[in-house]
Amino acid sequence: AQSVTQLDSQVPVFEEAPVELRCNYSSSVSVYLFWYVQYPNQGLQLLLKYLSGSTLVKGINGFEAEFNKSQTSFHLRKPSVHISDTAEYFCAVSEGGVGFQKLVFGTGTRLLVSP
Amino acid sequence: GAVVSQHPSWVICKSGTSVKIECRSLDFQATTMFWYRQFPKQSLMLMATSNEGSKATYEQGVEKDKFLINHASLTLSTLTVTSAHPEDSSFYICSARDLAGGRRNEQYFGPGTRLTVT
């Protein structure tokens, strides 16, 4: 079974500063990895995903993430954040391969961007 | 494309009544839909996997008689919270899996339904 750990429950940062949100996973098989963003009282929006191929994945809103198999990590980064990036960010994993497996979510990281 | 809607977006009901939440895939077909529950400031917990034309698969600890799921068509799944109690108050989110080849491994999430039981 897969599991996801997001060690940082909250990350405060100033506007225009870089940010990294950490995500580590555990799995005995190949995985697919996802980052979602959730704004207050809304559903989840996919930021980016890693299925295969290049380990550096670029997503929407200027975010990117790098899959590191040896460190079982999939950290999310943005070089310069905006106030509007304030939201909850969830890392998720599913089992890779043929067919579709359910998503397992981390506990989330709240990104707080201040002026 | 790949839009999922939920109705209602919020509902308040009295304890002991039942509430139905609809999840629709608007521009694609979804043989599989998922229902999640999210408590305040917590992550999403998968409640059940809804399969069109067959019984839903519930996660361990989720009461299937309390949370009735029906997936009658390729674009609609419903979650009925029966005999609701205040502890059922939560944010319920559905997602749908697109059948299209290029998007098979993605789930598209609805905007959520906030249920408050008084």
Side-chain angles (χ1 to χ4, degrees):
Chain A
Q2 296 86 35
S3 67
V4 178
T5 301
Q6 291 180 251
L7 287 174
D8 304 308
S9 60
Q10 188 167 293
V11 173
V13 65
F14 288 109
E15 192 175 18
E16 297 183 3
V19 70
E20 178 179 82
L21 306 183
R22 296 182 294 170
C23 172
N24 289 87
Y25 69 93
S26 67
S27 176
S28 58
V29 297
S30 63
V31 295
Y32 297 145
L33 293 156
F34 306 81
W35 274 101
Y36 289 88
V37 60
Q38 183 181 34
Y39 298 100
N41 295 312
Q42 294 186 29
L44 274 66
Q45 181 182 7
L46 180 67
L47 278 176
L48 48 77
K49 62 185 177 184
Y50 170 79
L51 303 181
S52 65
S54 174
T55 57
L56 182 61
V57 180
K58 293 188 183 297
I60 62 172
N61 301 341
F63 284 94
E64 65 179 32
E66 185 156 20
F67 170 58
N68 189 318
K69 188 175 181 180
S70 63
Q71 296 186 6
T72 60
S73 67
F74 190 55
H75 301 330
L76 181 70
R77 292 188 283 262
K78 186 170 182 177
S80 176
V81 294
H82 301 289
I83 297 287
S84 59
D85 292 324
T86 295
E88 191 83 20
Y89 292 80
F90 291 98
C91 181
V93 63
S94 72
E95 189 173 307
V98 177
F100 184 87
Q101 304 296 325
K102 61 186 180 184
L103 283 172
V104 175
F105 286 88
T107 50
T109 297
R110 180 168 297 277
L111 177 62
L112 295 170
V113 183
S114 55
Chain B
V3 177
V4 176
S5 71
Q6 279 184 244
H7 179 79
S9 56
W10 60 270
V11 58
I12 301 173
C13 71
K14 291 186 176 181
S15 185
T17 62
S18 296
V19 174
K20 180 184 285 188
I21 302 170
E22 292 185 349
C23 176
R24 292 182 185 273
S25 56
L26 297 185
D27 52 0
F28 66 97
Q29 293 182 327
T31 55
T32 304
M33 292 183 172
F34 303 86
W35 286 97
Y36 295 85
R37 184 173 180 176
Q38 186 180 30
F39 291 102
K41 303 187 183 210
Q42 293 188 31
S43 188
L44 281 74
M45 300 299 296
L46 180 65
M47 298 174 64
T49 302
S50 169
N51 299 297
E52 187 266 338
S54 65
K55 292 183 179 180
T57 303
Y58 290 82
E59 294 300 300
Q60 190 173 8
V62 177
E63 299 176 60
K64 61 181 181 181
D65 293 331
K66 180 167 187 61
F67 298 100
L68 300 179
I69 291 173
N70 183 276
H71 194 155
S73 76
L74 286 174
T75 59
L76 173 65
S77 174
T78 60
L79 168 68
T80 302
V81 183
T82 63
S83 187
H85 292 284
E87 57 266 30
D88 298 325
S89 298
S90 191
F91 196 51
Y92 293 88
I93 302 176
C94 74
S95 70
R97 177 191 170 197
D98 192 345
L99 285 176
R103 304 190 293 206
R104 265 196 307 248
N105 297 309
E106 287 190 41
Q107 291 185 35
Y108 297 93
F109 287 82
T113 296
R114 182 157 306 281
L115 170 64
T116 302
V117 185
T118 60

